[in-house]
Amino acid sequence: MRGLWLLLVLVAAAKAERVFTGDQVIRVNAQSEEQIQLLQALETQEEWELDFWLDPVSTELPVDIRVPRSSLSAVTEYLRVHSIPYSVLINNLQELLDEEKAEMQMNQMRERSTRSFNFGAYHRLETIYSWMDTLVAQHPNLVTKEEIGRSYENRPMYVLKFSTGGVKRPAIWIDTGIHSREWVSQATGVWTANKIATDYGTDASLTSLLNTMDIYMLILANPDGYAYTHSNDRMWRKTRSRNSGSRCRGVDPNRNWDAGFGGPGASKNPCSDSYHGPSAHSEIEVKNVVNLIRSHGNFKSFISVHAYSQLLMYPYGYSCRNVPHQPELDSVGRAAVQKLTSLYGTRYKVGSICNIIYQASGGSIDWSYNMGIKYSYAFELRDTGRYGFILPANQIIPTASETWLALKHIMEYVRDHPY
């Protein structure tokens, strides 16, 4: 009997959701290169278990760190001793997570009783997948759901294909949620897919675009990670694959592409959130996308949507040298951001990944650009750090609506500039 009881305790512990009671998110504004190096030293300090939401890369950019309660006094002392100023963005992370969870549960009950889907709420993977079937049923002549492969934990990976016919027409790729904890990304993907489906036939520009091109949307680019953020650890970013010889799981799927793989801005440490994996395309979630893009062979734009920081970026990340199409990519990006800002005044920065944030190798849009997909872009959605990854659900629709104006501008430009 005692053995059974122990087994039940172990099962409960294995399923237990990680709590962040007393954890704080602090913002550090480094004032010198020396302070940047002192912060980079913290990244390798494994016993403090710090989670860098924004990495220390330059004095131009803030550094956001989730500090576990158990490490708070040590970290604040370290900053004080080195005269590094900081402020507290989130005083108790668990309080925000509890609010987020309660809101999701309330919404779930409301959706069940009204048999509706609320685009201004966060949803679990199963709910998103079943909503996809509803969208296809409502727009059978435009939308299909295609399985492009399975994830490491054998979940289906679905793309929504928006097409008015033809075979391997010029196409636009949009993925959201490659980093699982960036929930506003997946939620923006859901809203956007619905917008495309409902505006076709009424919005003249979108209609003309879909009469000549297809749009592919992968809303859950990292399904295992996303499911895990709901069941076990809201702050999980990577895939869920096992790493041989390590107790730590997962690979950063946006450091796993064959573009400067294993270079600066990616880690060799399997316990790191930016671990690049054992080899390029080792992650089945990445490989599934690579296989689709390659076999299709006619994608003209590749857009990946992340959060947070309010940036619109183009290649390269793995190198700071300008790509051949830099002037064009920059001007299209700036025009897109102007449209985005026109709705609520949200400010975005535009530039290459390496020059606007930091050198990061193995990223998806570097790979797509090198594959000949000229219009390759990455968005970092709202906000600039007040909530970070825990963006309140009441900002989903405003975020998605403004982002749509930028996406639409890019897609129209791609339609009007064939190559």
Side-chain angles (χ1 to χ4, degrees):
M1 194 63 203
R2 188 168 173 274
L4 178 64
W5 180 82
L6 188 65
L7 182 67
L8 290 172
V9 168
L10 287 172
V11 167
K15 285 191 77 70
E17 199 165 345
R18 185 172 177 189
V19 289
F20 299 89
T21 311
D23 286 22
Q24 291 187 348
V25 178
I26 62 169
R27 167 155 289 185
V28 184
N29 288 104
Q31 293 167 324
S32 66
E33 194 48 48
E34 186 195 1
Q35 290 190 350
I36 289 289
Q37 286 167 2
L38 288 162
L39 292 168
Q40 286 169 341
L42 280 182
E43 285 192 290
T44 56
Q45 185 86 332
E46 284 187 23
E47 59 273 28
W48 288 353
E49 297 185 320
L50 304 181
D51 173 12
F52 280 78
W53 286 15
L54 295 180
D55 292 310
V57 281
S58 85
T59 52
E60 310 279 293
L61 298 165
V63 180
D64 293 349
I65 315 169
R66 179 181 61 77
V67 184
R69 183 176 60 175
S70 56
S71 305
L72 270 173
S73 57
V75 170
T76 52
E77 178 63 11
Y78 180 91
L79 296 175
R80 192 189 63 74
V81 164
H82 294 291
S83 307
I84 303 174
Y86 73 94
S87 57
V88 177
L89 291 176
I90 298 172
N91 194 38
N92 180 354
L93 181 59
Q94 192 58 43
E95 279 178 13
L96 278 186
L97 299 183
D98 290 343
E99 282 170 31
E100 181 180 69
K101 183 159 256 189
E103 212 177 312
M104 275 186 72
Q105 286 166 344
M106 288 282 294
N107 178 65
Q108 209 174 358
M109 283 156 60
R110 234 185 348 260
E111 285 183 342
R112 276 190 188 142
S113 64
T114 57
R115 296 196 170 179
S116 63
F117 186 93
N118 175 12
F119 292 97
Y122 293 118
H123 295 89
R124 299 176 82 94
L125 173 135
E126 299 76 16
T127 312
I128 293 174
Y129 278 0
S130 89
W131 164 80
M132 287 180 179
D133 294 328
T134 308
L135 188 75
V136 171
Q138 287 168 344
H139 306 274
N141 298 326
L142 179 68
V143 192
T144 51
K145 183 180 93 169
E146 298 182 4
E147 186 178 318
I148 63 164
R150 296 249 154 185
S151 68
Y152 180 82
E153 293 180 336
N154 205 33
R155 289 181 176 86
M157 289 179 68
Y158 294 123
V159 294
L160 290 174
K161 180 184 176 186
F162 300 83
S163 179
T164 55
V167 179
K168 292 192 179 173
R169 273 179 170 180
I172 292 163
W173 172 270
I174 303 170
D175 66 72
T176 59
I178 195 168
H179 288 143
S180 44
R181 64 184 175 185
E182 300 169 5
W183 282 10
V184 74
S185 168
Q186 295 92 331
T188 293
V190 169
W191 184 94
T192 303
N194 185 65
K195 181 75 173 164
I196 295 169
T198 52
D199 275 14
Y200 177 75
T202 56
D203 178 313
S205 181
L206 178 71
T207 305
S208 90
L209 183 124
L210 282 166
N211 285 339
T212 55
M213 302 185 81
D214 295 341
I215 300 172
Y216 286 72
M217 283 195 77
L218 175 63
I219 293 171
L220 296 178
N222 178 3
D224 298 347
Y226 188 63
Y228 196 74
T229 61
H230 287 273
S231 63
N232 290 68
D233 181 351
R234 175 64 181 85
M235 293 288 90
W236 190 260
R237 163 183 162 104
K238 302 191 284 181
T239 63
R240 291 292 302 155
S241 56
R242 291 186 186 278
N243 294 314
S244 72
S246 173
R247 61 182 171 80
C248 296
R249 289 182 71 158
V251 164
D252 181 339
N254 205 40
R255 300 289 183 278
N256 190 240
W257 301 71
D258 192 6
F261 177 81
S267 174
K268 294 177 174 58
N269 176 3
C271 298
S272 163
D273 260 346
S274 54
Y275 174 51
H276 52 55
S279 58
H281 307 165
S282 62
E283 300 313 282
I284 188 65
E285 295 82 2
V286 170
K287 205 168 177 39
N288 288 336
V289 175
V290 166
N291 290 344
L292 174 81
I293 300 282
R294 278 194 173 135
S295 66
H296 182 286
N298 203 14
F299 278 92
K300 300 299 179 185
S301 179
F302 185 106
I303 301 168
S304 190
V305 181
H306 296 248
Y308 63 99
S309 283
Q310 295 173 196
L311 309 168
L312 177 53
M313 301 178 292
Y314 47 83
Y316 283 130
Y318 71 82
S319 160
C320 286
R321 72 174 194 273
N322 281 343
V323 296
H325 304 102
Q326 189 273 338
E328 185 185 8
L329 293 175
D330 195 77
S331 74
V332 173
R334 285 180 196 283
V337 159
Q338 219 173 346
K339 297 271 171 71
L340 184 154
T341 305
S342 71
L343 196 56
Y344 301 112
T346 309
R347 315 294 304 176
Y348 265 60
K349 288 182 183 156
V350 179
S352 75
I353 298 169
C354 195
N355 291 317
I356 205 171
I357 43 173
Y358 48 73
Q359 203 170 353
S361 47
S364 65
I365 71 165
D366 286 359
W367 175 83
S368 61
Y369 182 81
N370 284 348
M371 284 287 293
I373 304 173
K374 178 167 47 160
Y375 301 109
S376 291
Y377 287 97
F379 282 82
E380 292 281 358
L381 303 181
R382 291 192 192 182
D383 56 9
T384 54
R386 166 65 189 90
Y387 294 102
F389 301 124
I390 319 299
L391 195 73
N394 63 14
Q395 290 195 46
I396 294 170
I397 293 174
T399 301
S401 306
E402 67 191 11
T403 306
W404 171 242
L405 300 180
L407 280 171
K408 204 163 158 241
H409 177 81
I410 295 169
M411 294 195 294
E412 288 163 355
Y413 186 92
V414 173
R415 174 198 64 200
D416 298 340
H417 294 80
Y419 65 94

